[in-house]
């Protein structure tokens, strides 16, 4: 049985109640446009989108242990009965091991990064350049505010428009594996905005993270094209200071494909050729996804946790199946 988004929003309950895989990106499950696979008398669900002849699954089943395998096998059977390929992305190591045991071809596809906040500090020479950039933004008049009123969102949409235009005519608005703001799940998120002379010049949206490493995920972030350095860094520092005052344990920076690849992370039976393809995209795949620049920003904050993330194919690893992940994300 498949369902679309409903008023009760089963995905929100599932990611909160069944964080079995501790997926820091689980809040993406509630995005509009997702579909959900469920079984009668089996708690939990699977999040997916159909694109072309593939079902693209987000994470593993958000379900208790007792119904995890039943959901996976039923979803797999449904895809096969419909003549559709099945590929899952952003699986955590827990998921990856179960998928490999079930006969999927599982490869590391990247990593997510996180920083524990209990000991976080910008003191020391390691953060000197970061502190200098933040100081320059503040000297330019930057004021960072956590906003709770969606009246500012139309002005943030203008930042989105300028940001996309600056990236080039071919740049598309990503979705599915990237968060959003302003929908009916907005009350669960937090939004920090930087203003100069009363005008918004950048923002960072933070999504909740559940499970064993609870906290917030640095999600969607945009800024107006500007020569003023340190705008995004200053916004994030303001959020971190707020979170630390609230005794939040973790700041997650989310998934970056092609990063953190290591032999020790791979599953038995992984595809060696696909692993080389991931390494090639890390080195030369900026046009597919700017992984190196994304990782450089995250490393500014000295993350102390790397979580390998995986892609799983029902059958051999395939470039076509992998490409449908990016199609589902509106990358092309």
């Amino acid at each position: 049985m498949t369902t679309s988004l409903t008023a009760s929003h089963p995905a929100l309950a599932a990611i909160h109640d069944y964080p079995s895989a501790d997926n820091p990106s689980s809040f993406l499950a509630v995005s509009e446009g997702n579909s959900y696979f469920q079984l009668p008398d089996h708690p939990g669900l699977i999040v997916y989108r159909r694109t072309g002849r593939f079902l693209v699954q987000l994470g593993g089943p958000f379900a208790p242990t007792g119904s995890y395998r039943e959901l996976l096998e039923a979803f797999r059977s449904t895809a096969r009965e419909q003549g559709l390929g099945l590929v899952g992305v952003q699986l955590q190591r827990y998921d990856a091991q179960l998928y490999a045991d079930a006969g999927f071809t599982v490869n590391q596809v990247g990593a997510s990064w996180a920083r524990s906040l209990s000991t976080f500090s910008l003191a020391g020479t390691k953060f000197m350049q970061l502190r200098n950039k933040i100081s320059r933004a503040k000297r330019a008049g930057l004021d960072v505010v956590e906003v709770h009123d969606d009246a500012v969102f139309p002005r943030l949409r203008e930042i989105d428009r300028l940001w996309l235009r600056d990236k080039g005519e071919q740049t598309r608005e990503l979705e599915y594996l990237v968060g959003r703001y302003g929908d009916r799940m907005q009350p669960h998120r937090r939004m920090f905005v930087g203003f100069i002379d009363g005008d918004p010049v950048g923002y960072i949206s933070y999504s909740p993270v559940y499970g064993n490493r609870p906290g917030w995920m640095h999600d969607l972030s945009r800024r107006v094209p500007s020569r003023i350095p340190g705008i995004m860094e200053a916004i994030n520092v303001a959020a971190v200071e707020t979170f630390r005052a609230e005794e939040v344990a973790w700041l997650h920076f989310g998934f970056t494909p092609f990063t953190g690849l290591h032999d020790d992370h791979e599953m038995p039976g992984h595809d060696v050729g696909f692993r080389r393809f991931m390494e090639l995209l890390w080195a030369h795949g900026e046009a597919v996804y700017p992984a190196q620049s994304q990782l450089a920003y995250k490393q500014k904050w000295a993350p102390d946790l790397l979580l390998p993330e995986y892609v799983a194919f029902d059958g051999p690893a395939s470039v076509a199946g992998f490409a449908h992940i990016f199609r589902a994300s509106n990358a092309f």
Side-chain angles (χ1 to χ4, degrees), residues 16 20 33 39 61 73 99 177 229 244 254 278 288 299 307 315 329:
H16 184 272
S20 56
L39 288 175
E73 289 303 328
Y99 276 61
L177 304 185
R244 279 175 50 80
M278 293 297 96
V288 177
Q299 289 181 329
L307 297 171
S329 305

Side-chain angles (χ1 to χ4, degrees), residues 10-254:
L12 184 60
I15 63 176
H16 184 272
D17 296 342
Y18 312 123
S20 56
D22 276 336
N23 192 326
S25 297
S26 63
F27 198 74
L28 295 174
V30 305
S31 296
E32 294 177 2
N34 292 346
S35 295
Y36 304 102
F37 180 88
Q38 298 174 279
L39 288 175
D41 303 320
H42 286 76
L45 50 75
I46 285 174
V47 183
Y48 72 98
R49 291 193 182 189
R50 177 174 175 173
T51 174
R53 300 297 299 170
F54 275 82
L55 301 182
V56 180
Q57 181 183 343
L58 174 67
F62 296 99
T65 303
S67 60
Y68 186 106
R69 290 181 181 273
E70 287 81 357
L71 276 167
L72 175 57
E73 289 303 328
F75 187 56
R76 185 187 209 178
S77 296
T78 297
R80 289 178 174 179
E81 290 168 2
Q82 296 177 5
L84 301 175
L86 173 58
V87 58
V89 68
Q90 286 200 251
L91 277 67
Q92 305 302 294
R93 191 173 185 90
Y94 169 90
D95 303 303
Q97 291 169 340
L98 292 175
Y99 276 61
D101 291 345
F104 285 76
T105 303
V106 182
N107 272 67
Q108 188 188 3
V109 71
S112 62
W113 307 78
R115 170 75 208 197
S116 56
L117 295 183
S118 60
T119 59
F120 180 76
S121 170
L122 288 183
T125 57
K126 177 169 60 175
F127 293 107
M128 182 173 63
Q129 185 177 11
L130 183 58
R131 292 197 305 271
N132 289 339
K133 292 183 70 174
I134 293 170
S135 295
R136 291 180 66 182
K138 290 182 177 179
R139 288 198 300 271
L142 184 73
D143 181 36
V144 181
V145 178
E146 181 176 8
V147 300
H148 304 281
D149 186 351
D150 59 8
V152 75
F153 290 164
R155 301 171 75 188
L156 301 188
R157 302 292 184 198
E158 178 62 14
I159 292 178
D160 296 341
R161 188 186 67 80
L162 294 172
W163 183 87
L164 286 168
R165 187 179 68 182
D166 188 60
K167 293 295 181 181
E169 293 183 2
Q170 303 303 315
T171 303
R172 300 165 65 95
E173 184 95 38
L174 296 181
E175 53 184 63
Y176 195 33
L177 304 185
V178 178
R180 58 181 62 194
Y181 65 90
D183 58 14
R184 60 193 180 93
M185 289 293 107
Q186 186 59 35
H188 297 276
R189 304 185 185 95
R190 300 178 74 167
M191 176 70 79
F192 287 76
V193 181
F195 295 86
I196 294 179
D197 296 330
D199 294 323
V201 294
Y203 69 84
I204 302 176
S205 174
Y206 297 85
S207 298
V209 177
Y210 308 109
N212 292 323
R213 301 181 188 88
W216 294 94
M217 187 178 76
H218 183 307
D219 196 358
L220 189 65
S221 59
R222 302 271 171 81
R223 56 167 290 178
V224 297
S226 170
R227 294 183 180 180
I228 300 172
I231 290 176
M232 304 312 295
E233 291 84 353
I235 295 173
N236 193 49
V237 162
V240 166
E241 291 173 348
T242 300
F243 299 153
R244 279 175 50 80
E246 298 167 351
E247 298 184 345
V248 172
W250 290 93
L251 176 62
H252 294 263
F253 288 94

